Amino acid sequence: MQRSEEIKTHHTTSSIMPEKTVSLITAVVRDRHGKVLSRERHEMRSFVRAWNHILCINGSPPGGVSTPDTGNVWRSLLAAPSNFQCNAGIGDVSTGIRVGTGNTPVDIAQYALIAPIAEGAGAGQMQHQGMTFSFIGVVGNVCSFELGRVIVNNSGGAINVAEAGIYCYAVENIPPGNPNRPFMGARDLITQNVPDGGAITITYTIRIVA
Amino acid sequence: MMGKDLEYEVVITDKDGKTILRLKEPARSFLKAYSQIIFSYMSRVPQSIKDTGGVNRAISFGGAAPLFYAGAGNVNEGIRFGTGNTPIDISDFTLQSPIAQGTGAGQLDHLGCYATVPTVDGTESAFKLTRTGINKSAANIAVSEFGVYGHAYEGSNWRYFCIVRDVLGSPVMIPPGGAITVTYSFKAVE
């Protein structure tokens, strides 16, 4: 079937880099019937401070690394198996891919989306489906995997999505409980309008290259 | 942080501590095992990962898991040095010819390996992982490769994986009494 809608493809810095060797963010917007309205794919802009700090604690004795959680509360980290966990289920916005309406440029020290969209079906809210993961594996000298999430707009009006990010857990060093805390590991700017009844699918393709 | 923002520095010193070689370059490669471990941590989906002995291990989550720091003399984890010069393959699961811990011929005495406290400077966040190997034997040792070993859990057992490997264009020579220090800088860059 011929698609009449315009597919918006947005390339930023990836236009000067081999697309198959960089990490990517892809956003696809569909209407209430599943028809694709727009699509955007470009080089993933940035893992941010917390990602690097969570990685660092896995090379450090306990208590050596602190970083702010998504509420801007500094937490002393602990190397633990919950670190990087982001397999959020339906309606869970503590971890997983989040979207927001803030368009402030990415800064390495950001600890949360500027204006994260809340879970729900009320005005300005979106309904988050469960996270999906796929390990693609090795193709040539590239090893990659994907994580994705569908986020549905049943708010009654259109929502402009301007940012996306990855929230994940890390463990705070408070024995004996050592609670999980949410951190933002990556943030990117996108420009998508999601109509009422429609949905946006965000996919991160994470690659390493030998 | 998944490959493009890693660099290394190599420093060779003689028996008096005098620097006789220093080189700093972009690191060549995280390896498949690193991608699999991060994927498993994020998704909680088990992965079959080849350990440094070439055995496939089903990675699970049974307890605290410091990924890649090591005490003195521990060569299961942390930065390792080797004599192999086979080009990097992203599916490499070990150094080609890792140098054993010790003071005998062809061995290095490995000091502890720990990450520094990360810093934020302008547009990047960075931390460093450093290790020194001392040549206490009576002959030169040529180092051609190095990398990072880490661990994850299979059931309740620690298993060891090679997550980074780099090969030098030409080997560096460590004289008797001298030392090699390799520092990896892990960065997240805007």
Side-chain angles (χ1 to χ4, degrees):
Chain A
M1 184 168 61
Q2 182 72 35
R3 284 212 316 255
S4 58
E5 75 277 13
E6 178 185 0
I7 305 297
K8 182 172 75 172
T9 302
H10 176 64
H11 292 280
T12 56
T13 54
S14 64
S15 61
I16 58 171
M17 302 182 71
E19 190 178 83
K20 292 182 178 177
T21 60
V22 298
S23 294
L24 301 170
I25 179 172
T26 304
V28 178
V29 173
R30 292 179 170 83
D31 69 10
R32 64 174 61 249
H33 304 296
K35 181 174 156 185
V36 174
L37 301 179
S38 62
R39 186 192 307 270
E40 172 178 349
R41 182 167 70 168
H42 52 85
E43 182 179 2
M44 178 184 175
R45 175 64 192 277
S46 188
F47 287 102
V48 290
R49 172 174 56 188
W51 178 274
N52 212 34
H53 285 200
I54 296 169
L55 185 65
C56 181
I57 192 59
N58 283 2
S60 308
V65 181
S66 296
T67 201
D69 67 13
T70 55
N72 197 23
V73 178
W74 284 78
R75 307 289 187 182
S76 174
L77 301 179
L78 181 69
S82 294
N83 291 352
F84 295 118
Q85 180 179 355
C86 59
N87 61 334
I90 296 172
D92 180 0
V93 292
S94 57
T95 69
I97 292 172
R98 297 287 307 269
V99 292
T101 58
N103 61 2
T104 303
V106 175
D107 184 291
I108 197 76
Q110 285 166 345
Y111 53 84
L113 295 184
I114 302 302
I117 293 171
E119 163 65 21
Q125 297 179 333
M126 300 184 80
Q127 294 175 309
H128 297 70
Q129 303 303 302
M131 288 288 294
T132 61
F133 295 88
S134 174
F135 193 81
I136 297 169
V138 173
V139 179
N141 65 336
V142 178
C143 186
S144 53
F145 65 83
E146 291 183 341
L147 55 155
R149 193 170 211 178
V150 176
I151 303 169
V152 182
N153 177 11
N154 283 321
S155 70
I159 294 177
N160 286 312
V161 175
E163 58 182 338
I166 301 171
Y167 281 26
C168 62
Y169 281 134
V171 172
E172 185 178 14
N173 182 32
I174 304 180
N178 298 323
N180 286 339
R181 303 294 187 191
F183 298 86
M184 183 176 74
R187 179 171 179 262
D188 284 276
L189 295 183
I190 57 177
T191 308
Q192 295 293 327
N193 182 269
V194 186
D196 180 43
I200 185 169
T201 303
I202 303 290
T203 303
Y204 278 96
T205 305
I206 310 295
R207 290 179 167 138
I208 61 172
V209 182
Chain B
M1 195 59 248
M2 295 295 290
K4 66 177 182 178
D5 301 320
L6 181 68
E7 63 183 31
Y8 64 73
E9 182 181 58
V10 179
V11 177
I12 307 293
T13 54
D14 67 13
K15 60 182 173 55
D16 300 314
K18 180 182 171 185
T19 298
I20 53 179
L21 177 81
R22 182 189 299 271
L23 59 94
K24 189 173 185 177
E25 296 180 358
R28 175 67 189 277
S29 190
F30 285 106
L31 299 175
K32 179 183 178 182
Y34 173 78
S35 184
Q36 289 182 288
I37 290 170
I38 295 295
F39 175 80
S40 290
Y41 273 61
M42 294 178 81
S43 67
R44 322 309 284 172
V45 175
Q47 286 281 294
S48 177
I49 307 177
K50 194 169 286 190
D51 70 11
T52 54
V55 179
N56 285 316
R57 305 292 188 181
I59 292 307
S60 54
F61 307 91
L67 196 59
F68 46 63
Y69 76 79
N74 177 2
V75 291
N76 288 321
E77 299 159 279
I79 292 173
R80 293 292 307 270
F81 314 100
T83 59
N85 60 5
T86 302
I88 297 163
D89 185 294
I90 200 161
S91 296
D92 284 342
F93 54 85
T94 180
L95 295 189
Q96 182 189 353
S97 303
I99 293 172
Q101 162 64 24
T103 59
Q107 298 179 331
L108 288 169
D109 190 19
H110 294 71
L111 302 186
C113 179
Y114 299 98
T116 61
V117 174
T119 58
V120 173
D121 182 11
T123 61
E124 73 175 37
S125 168
F127 69 89
K128 294 179 178 180
L129 186 72
T130 300
R131 188 166 222 178
T132 296
I134 303 171
N135 178 8
K136 293 182 175 176
S137 75
N140 288 336
I141 295 177
V143 171
S144 300
E145 61 178 340
F146 43 82
V148 180
Y149 284 18
H151 82 244
Y153 275 91
E154 183 190 46
S156 58
N157 298 308
W158 286 10
R159 304 300 185 190
Y160 302 99
F161 304 93
C162 184
I163 58 176
V164 174
R165 179 172 180 249
D166 281 283
V167 177
L168 294 168
S170 56
V172 294
M173 206 64 70
I174 310 168
I180 180 171
T181 299
V182 170
T183 300
Y184 276 102
S185 295
F186 295 75
K187 298 179 180 179
V189 183
E190 284 179 28

